[in-house]
Amino acid sequence: MNVFATELLRWYDHHGRKDLPWQHPRDAYRVWLSEIMLQQTQVVTVIGYFQRFVERLPTLAALANADEDTVLALWSGLGYYRRARFLHGAAQLCVEQHGGELPRDLDALLALPGIGRSTAGAILAQAYGLRFPILDGNVKRVLTRYHGVAGHPGESAVEKKLWLFADEHTPARRTADFTQAIMDLGATVCVRSKPLCPLCPQAASCVALRDGLTTVLPTAKPGKKIPTRALSMLLLRDARGRILLEKRGAQGVWSGLWSLPEADDASAAGSVAARIARVGDADPLPAFTHVFSHYRLDVSPILFDHAAPLTAVADRPDRRWCDRGEIASLGLPAPVRTLLDNLPEISP
Ligand code: SF4
């Protein structure tokens, strides 16, 4: 076994995380689900979501058979909802094409929606014990520093180099533990700012530590200013306290989630609301900003109390008046749920 792997596994045996819920049992469905949830999200946040998800949908078959609203409701708050829709679609493909199992083959895994090379590697290594490397954000950080690799890890030439290092270090024995160990090292010791080098099993050979580069590696992404969009969200609340929700289309942000009707700005809000319900005075609520990876969204919410459904507006499957219980069971974008949770009492 190579020195990097030997040192890392020795460290893992004493300090690694061995009580994460997806490690018991460490089957392919649970490894896959955890890997997808852990993209862009920290372990402490994921644990609760993971437990609720597997309690409701304990197997790949259960996920494949669930309706999309159930899956999105379980994902609600984790963000990046495309991940949940890909997960759902991939489970259905596994049932149709792979006998209800995640395939043990790299190319077949990569052909499933939402599974990239690192996630496929984690499934093959952790669930099936096969020798495949992984390269998630934590691993990139460790390898960038250990080997002193300059350049943003998102650049393809840098990423290619890191994959070669990841492959070189991955041992044929204890592959599952090794992949967990290198993720743990990145998450708990070789952390983004102020890595805990005196506690690191790789300190003796680490280029970044030797050359004083731990604060500059990995190289930051070249600066990019993200644009801002603005809109109004309309809270139409009827006399019973029900809120009008609309299911968003299949494209764009928050696709497939239930959200509020929108208008381009506050001046257009009244006419948009009047097309849906009979409304009285508009009551502006505090504005907020939600930041996506590619733009900022400035939201001005407007409350229309005592709205009355218009009989001329036919019921639609993608538009409903929902009470608190229904709202709790639907998949909503996190900022919309927060907004609804903090609504003022209905005016007399
Ligand atoms: S010695 Fe420091 S910088 Fe190098 S891998 Fe370990 S924690 Fe990261």
Side-chain angles (χ1 to χ4, degrees):
M1 195 179 291
N2 63 78
V3 180
F4 184 98
T6 306
E7 295 297 339
L8 188 59
L9 284 166
R10 190 177 299 145
W11 171 84
Y12 175 75
D13 288 338
H14 294 286
H15 307 287
R17 294 180 290 192
K18 303 176 194 77
D19 53 356
L20 297 168
W22 41 91
Q23 295 174 312
H24 306 284
R26 195 154 64 176
D27 65 33
Y29 172 61
R30 294 163 69 92
V31 169
W32 172 44
L33 176 62
S34 67
E35 283 295 314
I36 302 293
M37 286 186 166
L38 286 164
Q39 292 166 5
Q40 335 275 355
T41 315
Q42 300 221 335
V43 167
V44 281
T45 309
V46 164
I47 287 175
Y49 281 93
F50 179 88
Q51 284 168 328
R52 284 189 292 278
F53 202 101
V54 293
E55 205 167 290
R56 183 80 192 276
L57 304 173
T59 61
L60 187 146
L63 170 59
N65 287 329
D67 59 34
E68 188 182 85
D69 277 342
T70 302
V71 177
L72 292 175
L74 289 165
W75 205 271
S76 189
L78 267 178
Y80 300 92
Y81 294 92
R82 219 158 62 116
R83 295 182 294 170
R85 278 190 303 278
F86 280 165
L87 192 78
H88 193 207
Q92 290 166 340
L93 282 174
C94 287
V95 168
E96 284 164 26
Q97 299 175 356
H98 302 292
E101 304 259 343
L102 277 155
R104 291 170 180 249
D105 173 80
L106 181 65
D107 289 333
L109 282 172
L110 292 176
L112 295 170
I115 298 190
R117 189 172 162 196
S118 187
T119 304
I123 294 167
L124 293 168
Q126 300 217 322
Y128 298 139
L130 300 172
R131 189 193 164 279
F132 279 90
I134 60 159
L135 190 65
D136 68 359
N138 284 322
V139 180
K140 282 180 182 170
R141 191 165 54 253
V142 171
L143 295 180
T144 303
R145 287 173 173 161
Y146 181 78
H147 290 285
V149 179
H152 178 55
E155 287 168 22
S156 66
V158 177
E159 193 171 351
K160 210 168 150 192
K161 210 183 270 184
L162 295 176
W163 269 114
L164 289 176
F165 286 133
D167 187 43
E168 195 178 288
H169 294 311
T170 303
R173 279 189 307 109
R174 296 192 65 190
T175 311
D177 285 346
F178 175 84
T179 54
Q180 186 62 52
I182 193 164
M183 285 192 278
D184 286 358
L185 189 74
T188 62
V189 176
C190 195
V191 290
R192 203 177 303 270
S193 59
K194 300 203 183 104
L196 309 171
C197 302
L199 304 179
C200 179
Q202 310 298 1
S205 312
C206 175
V207 172
L209 180 60
R210 184 195 67 196
D211 296 349
L213 298 173
T214 57
T215 54
V216 294
L217 293 178
T219 307
K221 193 173 181 175
K224 188 172 138 222
K225 205 170 174 312
I226 58 170
T228 300
R229 282 189 52 205
L231 55 78
S232 285
M233 281 187 178
L234 281 54
L235 293 120
L236 282 83
R237 182 161 64 177
D238 72 7
R240 290 158 55 190
R242 297 181 309 169
I243 302 284
L244 184 96
L245 294 184
E246 292 182 343
K247 191 170 168 76
R248 297 177 69 90
Q251 302 299 323
V253 292
W254 297 332
S255 54
L257 298 187
W258 288 85
S259 188
L260 297 162
E262 293 171 3
D264 286 344
D265 52 42
S267 59
S271 53
V272 173
R275 283 203 290 273
I276 307 171
R278 205 167 52 247
V279 290
D281 289 344
D283 188 6
L285 299 177
F288 64 90
T289 299
H290 185 74
V291 182
F292 294 98
S293 54
H294 48 305
Y295 69 92
R296 284 161 56 94
L297 184 64
D298 289 342
V299 179
S300 308
I302 302 181
L303 177 62
F304 294 89
D305 252 342
H306 300 286
L310 289 177
T311 43
V313 177
D315 282 346
R316 293 176 6 186
D318 58 351
R319 182 184 276 174
R320 318 185 191 157
W321 293 87
C322 299
D323 61 24
R324 280 191 180 281
E326 279 175 287
I327 290 172
S329 71
L330 293 173
L332 265 61
V336 173
R337 192 176 294 285
T338 306
L339 185 60
L340 295 181
D341 285 347
N342 293 294
L343 271 189
E345 289 298 306
I346 195 160
S347 57

